Amino acid sequence: MKKVLECIHGGLIVSCQALEDEPLHSPFIMGRMALAAKEGGAKGIRANSTIDILEIKKQVDLPVIGIIKQVYGGNEVYITPTMSEVDSLAKTGVEVIATDATNRLRPDGKTLKQFYNEIRENYPDILLMADVSTVEEAVYAEKLGFDIVAPTLYGYTAETMGKKIYQDDYALLKEIVTCVKDSKVIAEGNVLTPEIACSILNMGVHAVVVGGAITRPQQITKRFVEALRSN
């Protein structure tokens, strides 16, 4: 586990994801996207779904942060929400499993503590990443024993809806770095330029995740189009 953390330290993790309603939705494309990211110097990959992860692992030997986005009825927890998704991810050989680590109950009624303990009992050798939305959640995830914490869900919970990680000069991220000492803090969310990534890394985070700015051409195109329209 220590080797994986050392491998990604100070580096770029590229999120290679495309949902079913997106143009690049395909394990073949995500595998090639991961390969392109590796050739560009990425130190790790974040990916969604077992089929994408298995293809990515055929193409690159980088550490993979695996998730499964699965919605259960009206429950708001959808990033690796139950042991069913954890079991599926573990079979792919991912080095890290990321899960929603907010204070919300999971679809099966389990608390985060119950869920965490069950994962650790079954998969003691897999690194666990906590996707949180607040400083308090980050601190609690560290207390439970998560290896990595990241403000991935900031702006996506009822408490933080609509907020952006870069608002107030990344105050949330800075506070998490200050408060969390044992777990590694990884920055994720709205990292749109290399300059922003460098600035964030200088805040003391362990690594930086970039997704849409690299792997979602529809978002990149939209930013260019909107800039031209306002010119």
Side-chain angles (χ1 to χ4, degrees):
M1 293 197 298
K2 188 177 180 181
K3 271 190 174 182
V4 173
L5 293 173
E6 288 175 351
C7 176
I8 63 175
H9 184 223
L12 174 68
I13 299 167
V14 176
S15 181
C16 298
Q17 299 182 46
L19 300 178
E20 291 183 5
D21 60 346
E22 295 183 77
L24 300 189
H25 178 68
S26 158
F28 174 84
I29 294 175
M30 289 302 104
R32 296 309 188 273
M33 191 77 78
L35 180 58
K38 178 185 176 180
E39 291 183 357
K43 296 297 184 181
I45 303 293
R46 179 165 164 132
N48 169 46
S49 83
T50 57
I51 190 169
D52 282 6
I53 290 167
L54 290 171
E55 179 60 29
I56 286 168
K57 281 195 157 289
K58 290 179 184 177
Q59 301 299 325
V60 302
D61 57 358
L62 299 175
V64 175
I65 300 170
I67 66 170
I68 292 178
K69 292 181 177 177
Q70 181 65 54
V71 176
Y72 287 89
N75 191 277
E76 295 178 332
V77 176
Y78 64 91
I79 296 179
T80 319
T82 74
M83 281 303 298
S84 175
E85 289 77 40
V86 172
D87 291 338
S88 295
L89 287 169
K91 291 175 184 176
T92 68
V94 289
E95 290 75 16
V96 184
I97 291 177
T99 180
D100 180 308
T102 62
N103 57 16
R104 302 173 291 189
L105 287 178
R106 315 192 81 78
D108 52 12
K110 292 176 183 174
T111 64
L112 178 62
K113 182 177 181 179
Q114 291 171 321
F115 185 55
Y116 172 85
N117 288 339
E118 190 172 358
I119 300 174
R120 279 294 191 217
E121 183 178 348
N122 286 280
Y123 304 105
D125 297 326
I126 296 179
L127 292 167
L128 297 181
M129 178 172 173
D131 287 345
V132 303
S133 66
T134 67
V135 175
E136 292 75 20
E137 289 168 352
V139 170
Y140 184 61
E142 178 187 41
K143 182 179 178 181
L144 287 177
F146 276 91
D147 304 285
I148 301 166
V149 298
T152 313
L153 291 169
Y154 183 69
Y156 295 95
T157 62
E159 186 178 352
T160 66
M161 188 63 67
K163 295 182 179 180
K164 301 295 184 183
I165 193 69
Y166 54 76
Q167 288 175 336
D168 301 318
D169 193 26
Y170 297 92
L172 175 81
L173 188 59
K174 290 176 180 177
E175 190 171 354
I176 290 177
V177 170
T178 299
C179 296
V180 173
K181 297 302 181 185
D182 294 329
S183 304
K184 304 300 183 185
V185 178
I186 288 182
E188 181 168 3
N190 298 109
V191 183
L192 300 179
T193 68
E195 292 75 22
I196 292 173
C198 289
S199 176
I200 288 174
L201 194 63
N202 290 335
M203 294 176 191
V205 301
H206 190 74
V208 179
V209 176
V210 177
I214 295 175
T215 59
R216 281 192 160 102
Q218 70 273 31
Q219 292 182 8
I220 301 168
T221 302
K222 185 178 179 180
R223 283 197 296 274
F224 275 93
V225 170
E226 289 177 348
L228 290 172
R229 284 175 178 167
S230 62
N231 186 18

